[in-house]
Amino acid sequence: PGLAGALPFAAKLYSSQSTNDFYKTLGVSRTASEAEIKKAYRLEAKKWHPDLHQGKPTKDQAEKKFKDISQAYQVLSDKAQRQQ
């Protein structure tokens, strides 16, 4: 399939989490400033970093949570994406 097969999957994955979920993921309000979003991201990323969680079940959970946190920060830190 290659890259062409990955694009629809990536679009589906990206759209599967609504903007409200991004705010909830980072634990900030919709009116949070850029500084508040960055601070919340750093705290959550540090808390859920996979290297800090040992053992198969908890490491897998931490990896998923860390990816969700990173995706939320990526969207909310971009003004154009945040407004959508």
Side-chain angles (χ1 to χ4, degrees), residues 32-65:
S33 68
E34 288 181 42
E36 290 171 320
I37 290 170
K38 188 174 190 175
K39 182 178 180 180
Y41 165 72
R42 288 183 174 179
L43 288 172
E44 289 296 309
K46 191 174 187 179
K47 176 179 170 184
W48 288 101
H49 196 282
D51 289 347
L52 299 176
H53 296 271
Q54 298 303 316
K56 190 69 172 161
T58 57
K59 186 164 184 148
D60 290 344
Q61 274 182 320
E63 284 176 355
K64 183 186 181 322
K65 184 75 170 170

Side-chain angles (χ1 to χ4, degrees), residues 7-19 22 71-72 74-76 78 80-82 84:
L7 291 177
F9 174 75
K12 183 179 177 184
L13 179 66
Y14 180 76
S15 66
S16 69
Q17 192 173 25
S18 72
T19 305
F22 291 140
Q71 182 184 20
Q74 181 180 6
V75 171
L76 295 180
D78 183 332
Q81 288 184 357
R82 186 176 179 185
Q84 292 179 350

Side-chain angles (χ1 to χ4, degrees), residues 19-37:
T19 305
N20 287 334
D21 290 336
F22 291 140
Y23 290 101
K24 186 177 177 181
T25 299
L26 292 181
V28 296
S29 69
R30 293 186 60 81
T31 58
S33 68
E34 288 181 42
E36 290 171 320
I37 290 170

